[in-house]
Amino acid sequence: MKEMIQAGNFYDSLSPEEQKDLTEAVAESLFFQEEELQRRVLTLLAKADPRLASGVEKRLR
């Protein structure tokens, strides 16, 4: 759980533009992966920061 807190803190420390870039990069990395893997990663991202998970999910759909 400590890792998720650290990841969330890192995401919070980014500028809005950097958050957008990270969100897009993660979504691009997941785009051609199997749906089950996408769901697992989204679950982990939501534990770090729900905004990041939501942004990635929107770009995958």
Side-chain angles (χ1 to χ4, degrees):
M1 189 64 167
K2 178 181 176 183
E3 294 83 6
M4 295 303 170
I5 293 169
Q6 290 174 334
N9 289 342
F10 172 75
Y11 185 74
D12 284 339
S13 75
L14 299 175
S15 71
E17 185 64 31
E18 291 170 323
Q19 288 178 351
K20 179 178 175 254
D21 290 345
L22 178 60
T23 300
E24 290 175 359
V26 172
E28 285 177 19
S29 295
L30 290 175
F31 190 78
F32 291 108
Q33 301 301 319
E34 293 181 13
E35 207 168 304
E36 177 61 26
L37 178 60
Q38 290 178 358
R39 279 194 297 266
R40 288 181 185 179
V41 172
L42 287 170
T43 298
L44 291 172
L45 291 174
K47 290 178 182 179
D49 191 291
R51 296 168 298 164
L52 175 57
S54 176
V56 170
E57 186 173 24
K58 286 177 187 173
R59 285 167 176 78
L60 290 174
R61 306 296 170 223

